[in-house]
Amino acid sequence: MKFEVEMAQLEREALERGEQIDTLVGNIHKLNQIFKHLNRMILEQGTILDRIDFNMEQTLKQTVKATTEINKANRHHEGGGCANRIILILIILIFIFAVILILKYVLRK
C-alpha cells in the first residue's frame, strides 16, 4: 500500500514536471519568435539607414556640383559686362555712320 501511494505521488510529480517542461518549451518557442521578429526589425532598420546614408552622400555630391555651377554662372555673368560694352560701342558706331550718311545726303543737295 505504501508502495502504491509512493507510485501515485511519483506519477503526479512526473505529470507536474511534464507540464512544467511543456510550459518551458512553449516559453522558449515564444522567446524564439520574439528574437526572429527582433532580427527582422534590425535588418529593416539597417536597410533604411543604408538608404539614408546613400541619399545623404548623393545630396552632398549634388550640392558640391550645384555650388560649382553657380560659381561658373557668376563668373560668366560678370564677364558679360564686356559683351555689353562691345554692343554699346557697335550701336554708337552705327549711329555715327547713320549721321555721316545723313550729312552726306544733305550736303549733296
Side-chain angles (χ1 to χ4, degrees), residues 27-73:
N27 289 339
I28 290 172
H29 180 69
K30 287 178 186 177
L31 185 61
N32 183 30
Q33 294 301 320
I34 290 171
F35 277 114
K36 285 181 181 179
H37 183 67
L38 184 61
N39 183 40
R40 276 193 308 269
M41 287 174 40
I42 290 171
L43 289 175
E44 289 171 5
Q45 288 177 353
T47 303
I48 291 170
L49 286 175
D50 289 342
R51 279 190 247 144
I52 290 171
D53 182 47
F54 176 76
N55 289 337
M56 291 299 291
E57 288 175 5
Q58 293 302 313
T59 301
L60 177 63
K61 288 178 185 177
Q62 295 299 325
T63 304
V64 169
K65 285 182 183 178
T67 304
T68 303
E69 292 299 320
I70 288 173
N71 289 336
K72 284 182 187 177

Side-chain angles (χ1 to χ4, degrees), residues 8 22 45 51 56 85-86 88 100-102:
D22 289 342
Q45 288 177 353
R51 279 190 247 144
M56 291 299 291
R85 289 185 201 130
I86 292 172
L88 181 63
I100 291 172
L101 285 175
I102 291 172

